[in-house]
Amino acid sequence: MTAVADRESPPPAIGLGLADITICESEICFIDGEEGRLIYRGYDAIELARQSTFEEVAYLLWYGALPRPTEFKAFLAGFTGSMDLPVETVMILRMFPKAATPMEVIRTAVSSLGHWDPDSGNTGLDASLRKAQRLTLRIPLLIAAHQRLREGKEPIKPIPSRGIAFNFLYALFGKEPDPLAERAFDAALILHADHELNASTFSARVTASTMADIYSSVTSAIGTLKGPLHGGANMEVMQMLKEIGDPGRARSFIEDKLSRKEKIPGFGHRVYRCEDPRVDLLRNYAQTLSEKAGDATYFEITREVQKVVVEKTKVFPNVDLYTASLYNAIGLPMELFTPIFAISRTVGWTSHILEQWSNNKLIRPRAEYIGPKSYCYIPIKERARG
């Protein structure tokens, strides 16, 4: 008699939210949750944020190695050649209703960019890299242009010889940024450039696995980022800081929330079992820029919130906690905090899209069915009226 032991064996464990389930191999990013390390293509991301530039890190993530001087010069020459937004895209930005949120706008505007891409329809590696560059350059300009239009101002053209951090701040505020603010923002872009298979990156890879184009894949990622459980945490931190209002109120505010078992934004992580390694550098920049601006209130509240949460829960801060007070010190509007996430993460998304295509297999998981299996169909006229 044939053994039926395989039929009797229990089904594999289900990882809710795919927690701790590995779905692919990748050379792009490694998160060491126990030691608190973040690695981009073999390099410590914190070291890169201290010494490198966002453009150099983009080259690293796309091409797999840091560039030599001549390579980087040629890369930058091509990189800055697509800075201007298509005229048609600016026309679309003017058509959005005032009630449209920045995330809704960039989701739709990014999707439209593909129509005017000179490499539209070309799926070759070189063409895909050019598209990745254009997206990385143009998403910051989309965000800045839309924000200015919302404020009744005209969009500002970027300065091609300057970097992405400089040009975003310049195109947003209409003046050259403070060098320290530019450097801090560049470091923040580096630290947000990639973080392995977070929800939006996974969305990008799933879409790419169907062989959809790069614009469709990035649009999927932006739609995922829009959700408050992914990209909105730094804005929630800022809202909390504003609600607290004074460092002296932080302890009672947090203790009250904890007593009601409410989640404190900016703390905890699915992977890290210690303080997020990105926190320290962002905390230092947030303090320096807040003090330079002459008002460190939100930074001091943040520090007090961290003290209370760690003391009471042993849960450590993540990247969002000090990003909020840093962006506030730079003068960035709170409604742009999540869209800014897309500026940096576009590099990571496109790197994963290209890697997915390099050895593609359609991503198609299974579900464990738990519903009934033996209902009989009854014609509608014979069913009892309910």
Side-chain angles (χ1 to χ4, degrees):
M1 188 173 182
T2 304
V4 293
D6 288 344
R7 297 180 188 177
E8 304 294 332
S9 60
I14 298 173
L16 295 179
L18 296 182
D20 299 322
I21 292 177
T22 300
I23 65 99
C24 70
E25 293 181 339
S26 177
E27 297 180 351
I28 297 169
C29 178
F30 172 63
I31 303 171
D32 187 333
E34 298 299 326
E35 297 294 328
R37 299 177 69 215
L38 176 62
I39 305 297
Y40 294 164
R41 300 272 193 190
Y43 293 91
D44 188 285
I46 312 307
E47 182 181 1
L48 292 171
R50 293 184 189 278
Q51 301 190 60
S52 185
T53 64
F54 184 51
E55 288 78 12
E56 190 179 35
V57 169
Y59 186 103
L60 170 67
L61 292 180
W62 286 330
Y63 292 95
L66 288 173
R68 298 180 180 89
T70 52
E71 292 172 330
F72 195 49
K73 184 177 180 180
F75 172 73
L76 290 179
F79 199 59
T80 58
S82 303
M83 272 195 164
D84 286 347
L85 291 173
V87 173
E88 297 86 353
T89 300
V90 178
M91 291 172 61
I92 290 173
L93 292 177
R94 295 182 188 278
M95 294 171 61
F96 283 106
K98 289 188 176 180
T101 66
M103 281 302 293
E104 292 168 337
V105 168
I106 68 166
R107 178 194 61 203
T108 304
V110 165
S111 179
S112 76
L113 281 174
H115 296 301
W116 296 286
D117 193 304
D119 287 306
S120 180
N122 187 343
T123 58
L125 178 59
D126 287 347
S128 296
L129 282 164
R130 289 193 294 270
K131 292 175 189 178
Q133 291 181 0
R134 292 184 192 114
L135 277 164
T136 301
L137 286 165
R138 288 174 172 172
I139 285 178
L141 302 179
L142 281 175
I143 296 169
H146 175 248
Q147 183 66 18
R148 289 185 67 83
L149 290 170
R150 292 176 78 204
E151 296 171 353
K153 303 171 185 175
E154 282 298 300
I156 293 176
K157 286 184 175 292
I159 300 175
S161 61
R162 306 304 294 266
I164 290 173
F166 175 97
N167 270 311
F168 173 70
L169 298 174
Y170 173 72
L172 181 65
F173 297 126
K175 61 181 181 180
E176 294 196 7
D178 173 83
L180 180 60
E182 177 192 351
R183 180 61 202 138
F185 188 63
D186 192 74
L189 293 180
I190 292 171
L191 294 177
H192 287 83
D194 194 64
H195 213 232
E196 203 221 55
L197 285 190
N198 53 85
S200 56
T201 301
F202 185 55
S203 290
R205 289 193 79 132
V206 170
T207 304
S209 78
T210 71
M211 295 308 296
D213 67 289
I214 200 167
Y215 285 96
S216 297
S217 301
V218 170
T219 301
S220 290
I222 291 172
T224 307
L225 182 67
K226 184 176 180 293
L229 293 184
H230 184 20
N234 52 19
M235 190 168 72
E236 290 181 353
V237 171
M238 196 66 232
Q239 290 170 333
M240 176 184 70
L241 299 180
K242 287 178 177 289
E243 188 176 352
I244 294 173
D246 183 273
R249 292 190 62 243
R251 177 168 288 275
S252 60
F253 180 92
I254 296 300
E255 288 179 345
D256 180 59
K257 272 189 169 296
L258 291 175
S259 70
R260 289 185 274 115
K261 302 189 183 304
E262 293 183 16
K263 186 178 184 298
I264 311 298
F267 290 87
H269 195 272
R270 183 72 71 84
V271 181
Y272 293 119
R273 298 294 177 261
C274 53
E275 182 175 277
D276 186 325
R278 299 168 292 181
V279 167
D280 188 54
L281 185 58
L282 295 175
R283 180 167 47 216
N284 292 339
Y285 274 129
Q287 180 174 11
T288 303
L289 283 170
S290 296
E291 292 172 351
K292 186 174 182 179
D295 185 359
T297 300
Y298 290 130
F299 174 78
E300 294 297 340
I301 295 172
T302 307
R303 190 155 57 181
E304 188 62 25
V305 166
Q306 176 184 343
K307 178 182 177 181
V308 178
V309 172
V310 173
E311 172 189 312
K312 297 291 183 180
T313 69
K314 309 303 181 191
V315 177
F316 296 98
N318 60 42
V319 71
D320 297 305
L321 185 64
Y322 285 94
T323 301
S325 54
L326 170 61
Y327 287 173
N328 181 76
I330 293 173
L332 299 170
M334 185 169 63
E335 63 269 23
L336 295 188
F337 286 11
T338 303
I340 287 169
F341 202 131
I343 295 176
S344 53
R345 193 52 60 84
T346 297
V347 170
W349 292 334
T350 51
S351 299
H352 280 270
I353 291 165
L354 295 172
E355 185 178 66
Q356 180 67 35
W357 286 340
S358 70
N359 185 28
N360 189 51
K361 186 174 179 62
L362 178 68
I363 297 175
R364 203 291 190 194
R366 294 292 308 276
E368 181 71 20
Y369 179 73
I370 59 171
K373 298 179 181 177
S374 58
Y375 286 158
C376 293
Y377 179 79
I378 301 174
I380 191 168
K381 292 181 180 179
E382 298 178 18
R383 294 174 208 158
R385 293 183 180 182

